Amino acid sequence: MSTTTLGPMRTLVIDHPLVAHKLTRLRRTQTSSATFRLLAEELVTLLAYEATETLRIQPVAITTPVADCMGVEMADPRPLVVPILRAGLGMLNGMVKLMPTAEVGFLGMVRDEDSLIATTYADRLPHNLANRQVFVLDPMLATGGTLVAAIDLLLERGARDVTAICLLAAPEGVKRLEDAYNDRDVEVTVVTAALDSHLNEKGYIVPGLGDAGDRLYGVV
Ligand code: URA
């Protein structure tokens, strides 16, 4: 699986035929919500494989039917997976399928459609995140406002290693994260299936896939 790395804040654009195929189906207007949910889940599992490349592990002694040997297991404290409500929920199954023993916290953020400013309406996260590797799930990195607000909150609680998994990213959002974290002593990584062209005047990613929450769950 080949990747592209940009700048000190790492942005990994996963260049893989299966990722590209599933993303193309996801983008299509004709794709139903049921198929969209399935594709989003599969895509996250593929992205999560790459996003967990630096997952902390520790040695463990085991016994196979044939011999004693050393293996590895996920290190303590366990990683924390944080879907950003509502659309990030559509990515959770695909992530925990790969890391069933990870802990899950929830963060509810909503962006004002006019000002595009993100505010927190639900916070179900541990208070102390020191030494925790955190994986944030947010399908669309658009202006970056929501993700910066979410990552700032995680850093305030002691996290120093945050990976955001996004189905799609816009250059404007990547730049916003670079501006926020390039000069800070923290590991912030974005893993995405594609870096699209730009944002339109309404803050939507172009060509994008529309409103990820609406496409997952139907318009509310
Ligand atoms: N949020 C979405 O759901 N879609 C976009 O294109 C941008 C932000």
Side-chain angles (χ1 to χ4, degrees), residues 87 111 139-143 199 203-206 208-214:
R111 77 171 183 166
M140 308 299 275
L141 173 52
T143 63
L199 296 180
Y204 280 88
I205 298 177
V206 181
L209 50 74
D211 186 302
D214 288 354

Side-chain angles (χ1 to χ4, degrees), residues 89-154:
L89 267 190
M91 302 172 72
L92 183 57
N93 273 351
M95 186 73 191
V96 294
K97 221 186 246 178
L98 205 66
M99 271 201 316
T101 55
E103 202 178 322
V104 180
F106 296 90
L107 197 53
M109 309 210 80
V110 65
R111 77 171 183 166
D112 184 281
E113 290 300 326
D114 297 319
S115 68
L116 303 181
I117 291 172
T119 48
T120 305
Y121 68 86
D123 170 0
R124 303 288 299 189
L125 298 175
H127 285 286
N128 181 4
L129 295 177
N131 298 319
R132 299 291 292 264
Q133 282 183 298
V134 184
F135 295 88
V136 179
L137 308 178
D138 190 10
M140 308 299 275
L141 173 52
T143 63
T146 301
L147 206 48
V148 166
I151 294 173
D152 281 350
L153 195 145
L154 298 167

